Amino acid sequence: PDLYSETASSRIASARDRSKRSVSDLTGAGDSARGTPFDAPEPHAATPTCDQETIPPLDLPDDTSEEFDQLETALLSLRHFDETKRGQIHTELTREESEGDLLETFLAEDKARREKEARIAAGEPDSDCESALFHLPVLPTGQHLEVAIFSTWGDSYYVGLNGIEIFSSDGRPVQVEAIWADPPDINILPGYSSDPRVVANLLDGVNLTKSDLHMWLAPFTQGERHSIYIKFVSPVTLAMVRIWNYNKSRVHASRGVKHVELVLDDKAIFQGVIKKADGRVKQSFDVSETILFTDDHDVLSALCHYDPVYKRENGEEGV
C-alpha cells in the first residue's frame, strides 16, 4: 500500500508539472518556435467583405424583369378588385334586408326539401336533379366542347371556376388547341385590364388551389348564357370530364357554377348540377365534379393510370 501511494503521488505531481508548462505555453509571450497550441492548423484567410471585393450582379434572363412587372400588375389589379368591394355578395342590401333575405331563403329551401322528400316517398322522380332526367351518352366523340353555365351558387355578379380536366377513351388527357369564354373575364369591366383570373388558367393543371393566379372569373348576369369553349386538336372520344369549382374561400365559393350543360359538337352530353366547393384544399373530391361517360373496365383502368387525382388520393400509380 505504501508503494502504491508513493507511485500515485509521483504521477499526480508529474501531471501537475505538465499542466503548468502547458498553461505557460498558452498564456506566455510565446516563442515562435513552439507553434500554435495543440499543433492546430493555420486559420483560413478571412472572407473578403463587400468593401474589399465587389459582388458581381446576378446573371438573370433578359425577360425576368418583364415577368416581375406582369406579376406585380396582376397583384395590384387583384387588390383594386378587393378594395372596390365589387366582389361582395348583395352589397346593396342593408343589414335588415339581408336578414330578411336569409330568412326567406331558409324557408324556401326548407319547403323545397320537404316537397322533395314527399315526391321521393311517393315514388316520383326527383325533378330538382336534372342529371336524373338526362341520360349520359356512352363515349361521345367530337372536337368542340362547350361548357354552358346557367347559374351560380348564390353570387349575383360573378361566376368562376378553378379548372377543367378532359380525358379520352385511352385514359390520356385530351390535347387542346384553344380555349375562350363568353364573357371572357372581368377585364372587360371598366377599370380592369390586368386581372390574372383569365380563362386560360382553367387548363394550367393547378386545380386544387385557393390562388387567384390559377382561377377564372367573369361577370355574371342572371338569365343569360355564359359559356366556355374548348377546341381539341382533333376529334376525340371522351371518357371523363372533371370540373373544378371556384374555391377562393368558403364565402366566395358562391361564385362557383351550379347548373351547367356540356355540349359536344352541338349535341348535349351532360345536364346537371356541379358540386359547390368548400373553400378548402384537402380533398379533390370536395371541390370538383367528375362526369364519367363509360363504365367499361378497361377504360376505367386506363383513366386510373393517367389521372393525377386518382394517383394522389389513392397513393397508387394506377391499376
Side-chain angles (χ1 to χ4, degrees):
D2 294 338
L3 179 62
Y4 174 79
S5 299
E6 182 180 355
T7 303
S9 299
S10 63
R11 288 181 178 177
I12 293 173
S14 178
R16 287 176 176 173
D17 184 59
R18 288 196 304 271
S19 177
K20 290 179 180 179
R21 289 199 303 269
S22 298
V23 172
S24 176
D25 292 343
L26 291 172
T27 59
D31 186 355
S32 59
R34 288 201 296 262
T36 57
F38 311 112
D39 293 329
E42 293 293 334
H44 294 287
T47 304
T49 64
C50 293
D51 295 335
Q52 296 171 325
E53 182 179 355
T54 303
I55 299 178
L58 295 176
D59 186 15
L60 297 175
D62 296 337
D63 59 348
T64 301
S65 59
E66 182 178 352
E67 293 179 359
F68 286 162
D69 292 341
Q70 293 176 352
L71 179 59
E72 182 180 12
T73 302
L75 294 178
L76 289 175
S77 178
L78 291 173
R79 180 182 299 177
H80 174 64
F81 182 86
D82 292 336
E83 290 176 350
T84 55
K85 302 183 183 301
R86 300 192 64 175
Q88 294 184 352
I89 305 172
H90 304 302
T91 53
E92 77 282 0
L93 296 179
T94 64
R95 180 169 182 173
E96 292 76 16
E97 290 173 333
S98 298
E99 292 176 351
D101 183 66
L102 290 174
L103 178 60
E104 292 177 2
T105 301
F106 172 78
L107 294 175
E109 291 178 351
D110 183 67
K111 179 181 178 181
R113 178 183 57 81
R114 287 186 279 105
E115 292 177 350
K116 177 180 178 180
E117 292 175 351
R119 289 195 302 269
I120 294 176
E124 300 178 5
D126 182 8
S127 60
D128 292 336
C129 182
E130 291 84 347
S131 57
L133 305 177
F134 186 86
H135 297 283
L136 296 177
V138 177
L139 298 175
T141 300
Q143 188 174 3
H144 300 85
L145 178 67
E146 177 190 2
V147 181
I149 303 167
F150 299 101
S151 65
T152 70
W153 279 100
D155 197 302
S156 302
Y157 308 104
Y158 301 99
V159 61
L161 285 174
N162 267 32
I164 299 176
E165 291 180 295
I166 308 169
F167 296 85
S168 63
S169 57
D170 62 1
R172 301 175 184 270
V174 174
Q175 298 297 313
V176 174
E177 178 179 325
I179 181 172
W180 66 98
D182 181 23
D185 49 60
I186 66 172
N187 288 310
I188 64 173
L189 299 176
Y192 297 91
S193 61
S194 303
D195 193 278
R197 291 168 288 189
V198 296
V199 71
N201 294 342
L202 298 180
L203 301 179
D204 66 2
V206 183
N207 302 313
L208 187 60
T209 181
K210 299 172 67 174
S211 171
D212 290 308
L213 302 179
H214 301 285
M215 299 178 180
W216 168 70
L217 189 68
F220 177 78
T221 304
Q222 188 66 40
E224 294 189 3
R225 190 183 184 98
H226 310 73
S227 296
I228 300 169
Y229 302 93
I230 302 174
K231 181 182 179 181
F232 307 142
V233 173
S234 59
V236 296
T237 300
L238 298 186
M240 184 176 76
V241 175
R242 180 179 292 119
I243 298 178
W244 297 78
N245 228 335
Y246 196 82
N247 195 46
K248 171 65 178 176
S249 66
R250 182 181 61 84
V251 174
H252 289 119
S254 59
R255 295 173 179 168
V257 304
K258 185 176 182 181
H259 296 90
V260 304
E261 180 182 46
L262 301 184
V263 181
L264 183 64
D265 285 357
D266 298 327
K267 295 181 180 179
I269 60 174
F270 173 81
Q271 293 176 352
V273 175
I274 303 302
K275 182 188 307 179
K276 182 182 179 181
D278 61 3
R280 300 181 297 175
V281 289
K282 292 185 177 181
Q283 294 289 332
S284 302
F285 301 108
D286 293 334
V287 297
S288 65
E289 190 77 42
T290 300
I291 305 168
L292 283 171
F293 296 101
T294 181
D295 57 2
D296 183 87
H297 180 269
D298 293 335
V299 177
L300 295 178
S301 297
L303 289 171
C304 293
H305 182 74
Y306 291 104
D307 182 12
V309 170
Y310 181 86
K311 294 180 181 180
R312 180 172 61 248
E313 302 292 345
N314 295 275
E316 302 178 9
E317 291 298 326
V319 295

